[in-house]
Amino acid sequence: MNLPSNPIGIFDSGVGGLSVLREIRSLMPNEHIIYFGDQGHVPYGPRSMEQIQNFSEGITNFLLQHNAKIIVVACNTASAAALKYLREKFPDVQFVGMEPAVKPAAEKTQTKKVGVLATPATFQGALYASVVERFASDVEIFQNTCSGLVNQIEAGELDSEKTKKILDDALLPMLEKNIDTVVLGCTHYPFVIPLIEKIVGEKVRVIDPAPAVAKQVERLLEARGLRNSSNENGEVVFFTSGDVKSAENVVSKLINEKVEIKSVIWKNDFEIVSSID
Ligand code: DGL
């Protein structure tokens, strides 16, 4: 199989980054995309910073070998643990990362009470602490790691009883504290927005940073003269380090798009050896 030329490279621990991919697709449908879902290692949330840095470095090398012109770290956890590290290791590469959208939430909240849903590694990272300190000093923040939710979404369980319970347990206590805004600080979570909205009701605003990230990617490509000039629809190829069949099942549930799925194998924590046709 031929891979698309000069693609945008996107990665996540699994399928979460597809919430960013779909925004990039709708903004720039003619761009080719190669996506890496590290489903052999998902979830990243409970892992050590060092291990997430190693995985992120291996994936970056892989995407660069396939000529990625920009790399979108479509994972809050990998951004928290490894974005700074990647920028130091690959000074010539343009990276776009995620950070919990605490700034827009702090600007919009009326009650001055905001809920943030993200993984343990994201909450522990310096990036999150600095965003809260800079933008939300006058806001009360309620955090929850939604333990198990990433795995539910990886399994395509967007509306099951277990998924609902995880979200009820996270959100109902926040509602009691009078939050009026919820920040989705993990790229998997936009896939359960319908369920979140059912729980919090229409008076609570749910913030998904993916559209803003897609715009940032567009701005950077334009500024560097890297936009694809063809008007044809771009191709999307999805590499998984997990099981191809399961990836096919879940991807078809999450996005409305024909995506070719290919398998890759890790040699160790920081080197990907093969991709099987
Ligand atoms: N999609 C992820 C994020 O944005 C990763 C979740 C995980 O693997 O724990 O944080």
Side-chain angles (χ1 to χ4, degrees):
M1 173 209 164
N2 288 330
L3 285 176
S5 56
N6 298 318
I8 295 172
I10 305 180
F11 79 88
D12 178 50
S13 61
V15 290
L18 294 176
S19 65
V20 178
L21 178 144
R22 70 181 170 186
E23 300 296 334
I24 291 177
R25 286 292 282 166
S26 81
L27 200 60
M28 299 175 278
N30 65 335
E31 291 293 342
H32 302 302
I33 295 179
I34 51 173
Y35 182 98
F36 192 105
D38 194 7
Q39 294 176 295
H41 291 137
V42 69
Y44 276 8
R47 292 179 183 274
S48 72
M49 296 278 167
E50 192 193 349
Q51 201 175 29
I52 299 169
Q53 286 172 358
N54 289 339
F55 296 157
S56 300
E57 182 177 347
I59 296 167
T60 298
N61 276 322
F62 179 86
L63 294 172
L64 292 175
Q65 277 154 21
H66 292 96
N67 301 318
K69 58 184 171 184
I70 189 166
I71 294 185
V72 184
V73 186
C75 176
N76 291 77
T77 307
S79 297
L83 192 56
K84 191 163 170 280
Y85 173 84
L86 291 175
R87 287 188 167 132
E88 279 164 15
K89 276 257 156 180
F90 302 90
D92 300 330
V93 175
Q94 185 74 59
F95 289 98
V96 176
M98 311 287 305
E99 66 179 29
V102 168
K103 184 176 181 223
E107 284 163 3
K108 287 182 176 132
T109 176
Q110 299 288 315
T111 61
K112 298 281 171 207
K113 292 177 200 296
V114 167
V116 182
L117 309 181
T119 67
T122 298
F123 284 132
Q124 280 151 27
L127 188 61
Y128 177 71
S130 112
V131 172
V132 170
E133 193 188 303
R134 278 181 293 146
F135 306 116
S137 51
D138 61 337
V139 170
E140 200 173 348
I141 298 213
F142 300 93
Q143 298 172 188
N144 196 289
T145 59
C146 296
S147 178
L149 186 56
V150 167
N151 287 341
Q152 290 298 104
I153 294 165
E154 285 292 321
E157 293 204 21
L158 306 183
D159 201 22
S160 69
E161 271 312 305
K162 187 169 170 198
T163 305
K164 185 171 177 318
K165 174 151 184 358
I166 295 170
L167 285 167
D168 274 341
D169 289 350
L171 294 165
L172 294 178
M174 293 182 183
L175 288 175
E176 271 170 31
K177 301 284 184 191
N178 201 24
I179 59 153
D180 64 355
T181 309
V182 176
V183 174
L184 304 185
C186 168
T187 53
H188 280 75
Y189 300 169
F191 292 113
V192 287
I193 285 179
L195 194 50
I196 293 174
E197 286 180 340
K198 245 190 250 168
I199 297 168
V200 299
E202 55 193 27
K203 290 207 183 98
V204 173
R205 183 184 289 110
V206 179
I207 302 188
D208 169 13
V213 171
K215 283 209 187 78
Q216 172 69 355
V217 174
E218 185 186 41
R219 268 196 295 272
L220 287 170
L221 290 179
E222 266 164 15
R224 288 166 181 248
L226 291 174
R227 283 298 313 271
N228 188 359
S229 54
S230 153
N231 287 329
E232 280 173 34
N233 206 25
E235 276 174 66
V236 180
V237 180
F238 182 120
F239 292 93
T240 180
S241 57
D243 177 61
V244 171
K245 269 268 150 286
S246 327
E248 277 166 1
N249 285 339
V250 67
V251 170
S252 66
K253 272 194 187 177
L254 299 181
I255 54 168
N256 210 353
E257 168 100 73
K258 217 190 128 357
V259 176
E260 173 141 17
I261 307 216
K262 287 169 72 74
S263 167
V264 295
I265 296 170
W266 285 93
K267 180 175 170 192
N268 49 41
D269 270 8
F270 43 88
E271 265 177 293
I272 295 159
V273 274
S274 61
S275 94
I276 301 161
D277 283 295

